[in-house]
Structures are given as structure tokens and as C-alpha cells.
Amino acid sequence: MAEQAKFQKMLEILLMLDCKYGRTIQEISERFDVSPRTVYRYFDTFKQVGFVIENKNGYFKINKDDSSAKDISQLLHFTEEEAFILGKAIHSIEDGSELKDKLAKKLYSLYDFDRVIHAISKKEETDNIFNVIQAIKQQKQVVLKEYKSGHSNNIRDRLVEPIDFTVNYMGIWCYDTEDQSNKIFKTARIKEVVVTDECWQYKPKHHKGITDIFRMQSFEPIAIQLKLSMLAYNLLVEEFPLSEKNIKESDDHKYILTTDVGNFIGVGRFVLGLPGEIEVVYPQAFKDYLNSKISKLSF
């Protein structure tokens, strides 16, 4: 089998295993026209890169709680938004196109995601990010040396258990062993990351918050619904591509966005920038937030 076709088939099988109830070996074998022995061999490869394949009565699926790589986008270290845009772009290219083949080949060079950080982070932050990646892989505690806290306005070392990164490595979801709570630590505020010999001690307490479609982070998502004009819809999907998955067209030729947000800052900025183009369906708290912002405007 050609390497490119084999790679594509493995990724498709991996996506198929990302499900609630699992898939049987026979189902996978018939779907992708490969032998059961080949399916098991692919499973071994998935395990080698950090996935835990769970078997319940012959039904196989990815165990995201125990896997060091939670999904394909994390394995390649694309953000969800980047993977969404890339997938749409590649699938829009005509089959057999030379450009499509080149894009597929470039995925190979990005497969070792440890090297990707050099291209998207500041030079002085690269070593810190790399150390955090290794600590997450090995489930080790780290010391964030001389962390500059914006809340307490002090500079000191913090002993944490790193869980994952926010968008483009700008922050790290961590469990703070001192405060015994989950927090985001900003990458730019860390002088040095020191990986300790101590393994995670608080894994059951680890909790990673959400990054909403407006790229805001929070541990307490808020459900919202907006009715958008065509103008607002077009601007939203252009500026925040992930929003497209949460939009449905209504009977009156408007567009309904139903999603969770981390806070009202990102979505509020978008709504206030398009007066008359967006109706807030719920919650009332968001309406109150917008009214308070409007009352403070001066001209």
C-alpha cells in the first residue's frame, strides 16, 4: 500500500475509534478493506504515540481520560480551529490534484509536533514550551520559575501539574499544587520551566476548561444563543471559523448561533461591533452585560 494512502487510512480509523460506544474489529476491517491482523497492527501504532485503546466486550474505542494524546488534532498539535480550516481547504481541492498531494506530504513533516513550536512561539519561550510538552507526556510535576502573577501582583515559583495548552501555546492549563485548584498560567510570564522527578499526584482533580469559538478560556461555560443577519453570519464565520459548526439557518432567513462561551468579553466585543445585526435570544445576563457596556459609551 502506498505510504500516503496508508497514512490516510490510519487517520480515518483513528477518527472512527473516537466514539462513544466503540467499534468491532470486523466493522473496521470491512469498512476499510483491511485484514483484522492489519487493524491490530494499527492499534499497536496508535498505542506507541500515546493513545489508549479500550476494549469492552469486543468494542474498541479511544480512552481519552488515560491517553496522553487526546485526539488527532492534539497529536499533530494543530489547534481545533486550524484543523477545521485545514480539513475544509484540503477537501475542497479536486482529487488527483498535485497541490492536494503536496499538502498531504507536508503533514508528514508536521507529524513530529515537538518541532512545530519553533515556528509559532517566541524564541525565548520555545524551551519552556518544549519542557511542558515533555512533562505532560511523562505526567511529571514542573516548577514555573519566577512566574509573574497578574492577580496577586507578585513574582515567585509555582509547583504545578501541567495538563494541556491553550490556543497557540499562549497559556497552560495546570493544577496548582499549592492552591489545589485548576488554573491557566500564561506562557510569557514564565522565566523557566523545570521538570521535576515527581509524578502527578492529583490527576483525578485535573480539569481543563473550555476555549470558546471567540478564543476565550474559562472553567465555567455559559450557554448563549444569538440570531444573526446574513452580514453578521458572514463576518462571524470569516473571523471565527469554528462558529460554523454551531450555526443553523432559521425559517426567516436568519442564522441561529447556539454555543457555550467562556465569558462575555469575546462574544460581547463581536455583538457590540455590529449594532442592529444581532439579536440576543438568551441569556438575560448577556443582555444586561451589553446594556451596561452601551451605557458607558461616550461620544
Side-chain angles (χ1 to χ4, degrees):
M1 181 186 298
E3 285 301 311
Q4 182 178 331
K6 177 181 177 181
F7 181 64
Q8 179 179 343
K9 186 163 293 188
M10 290 178 69
L11 288 179
E12 290 175 351
I13 291 175
L14 196 55
L15 284 170
M16 192 175 180
L17 293 173
D18 185 12
C19 59
K20 186 174 182 180
Y21 299 108
R23 310 285 189 176
T24 66
I25 296 297
Q26 182 179 356
E27 182 180 1
I28 297 171
S29 176
E30 293 177 352
R31 170 81 174 271
F32 294 97
D33 192 26
V34 294
S35 68
R37 183 176 179 179
T38 298
V39 175
Y40 281 114
R41 191 167 65 248
Y42 288 168
F43 283 6
D44 289 338
T45 301
F46 300 155
K47 292 173 185 176
Q48 290 173 16
V49 296
F51 288 97
V52 174
I53 307 298
E54 183 180 277
N55 178 7
K56 284 191 176 181
N57 301 318
Y59 286 83
F60 296 82
K61 68 174 184 176
I62 296 170
N63 185 326
K64 292 188 177 182
D65 292 331
D66 293 333
S67 296
S68 60
K70 303 297 183 185
D71 51 38
I72 291 176
S73 64
Q74 180 172 336
L75 175 63
L76 298 174
H77 241 67
F78 290 122
T79 65
E80 184 183 3
E81 184 173 278
E82 290 166 343
F84 181 75
I85 295 171
L86 181 61
K88 286 191 67 177
I90 291 177
H91 285 299
S92 68
I93 300 173
E94 184 179 352
D95 288 339
S97 164
E98 182 180 355
L99 174 60
K100 193 169 188 176
D101 292 341
K102 287 181 178 179
L103 286 172
K105 289 177 181 177
K106 284 187 177 182
L107 286 178
Y108 287 101
S109 66
L110 294 176
Y111 198 77
D112 180 4
F113 65 78
D114 290 351
R115 293 186 289 110
V116 178
I117 61 174
H118 295 278
I120 68 172
S121 60
K122 297 178 182 178
K123 184 177 180 181
E124 60 269 22
E125 297 172 6
T126 297
D127 289 342
N128 287 342
I129 295 172
F130 181 84
N131 287 340
V132 172
I133 290 174
Q134 301 309 310
I136 293 173
K137 281 183 180 180
Q138 300 165 19
Q139 299 192 5
K140 297 287 188 181
Q141 293 182 345
V142 304
V143 177
L144 308 180
K145 303 290 288 186
E146 298 184 29
Y147 181 76
K148 300 178 179 67
S149 173
H151 294 290
S152 58
N153 198 29
N154 61 25
I155 301 174
R156 62 188 178 88
D157 296 350
R158 311 295 287 268
L159 179 65
V160 304
E161 297 181 355
I163 303 169
D164 201 356
F165 290 95
T166 63
V167 176
N168 289 342
Y169 302 93
M170 296 183 67
I172 311 165
W173 301 103
C174 294
Y175 183 82
D176 189 327
T177 63
E178 180 182 331
D179 296 346
Q180 296 197 347
S181 61
N182 294 283
K183 299 178 179 179
I184 297 175
F185 290 89
K186 298 296 184 181
T187 307
R189 298 178 185 175
I190 305 169
K191 182 176 182 180
E192 181 184 2
V193 174
V194 177
V195 182
T196 73
D197 294 328
E198 296 294 323
C199 294
W200 287 351
Q201 299 178 22
Y202 304 95
K203 185 175 179 180
K205 296 182 179 181
H206 288 187
H207 174 58
K208 185 179 72 171
I210 69 161
T211 299
D212 66 27
I213 61 174
F214 299 95
R215 308 185 187 104
M216 295 290 153
Q217 290 88 31
S218 173
F219 289 101
E220 297 179 2
I222 306 167
I224 68 163
Q225 187 173 91
L226 308 177
K227 180 177 281 191
L228 313 171
S229 68
M230 182 173 291
L231 171 63
Y233 164 77
N234 287 335
L235 291 174
L236 181 62
V237 297
E238 288 170 7
E239 189 173 352
F240 304 103
L242 284 179
S243 63
E244 187 176 350
K245 299 189 294 185
N246 301 309
I247 298 175
K248 293 183 179 179
E249 188 171 1
S250 63
D251 294 335
D252 56 354
H253 304 294
K254 299 283 188 178
Y255 297 86
I256 305 298
L257 170 69
T258 306
T259 189
D260 289 339
V261 295
N263 53 50
F264 293 145
I265 298 173
V267 62
R269 192 161 51 215
F270 182 78
V271 172
L272 290 171
L274 291 167
E277 301 293 335
I278 302 173
E279 174 189 345
V280 179
V281 181
Y282 63 77
Q284 181 62 43
F286 184 39
K287 298 179 182 179
D288 296 340
Y289 172 86
L290 293 173
N291 286 329
S292 69
K293 292 296 182 183
I294 293 171
S295 68
K296 295 177 182 177
L297 293 175
S298 58
F299 302 95

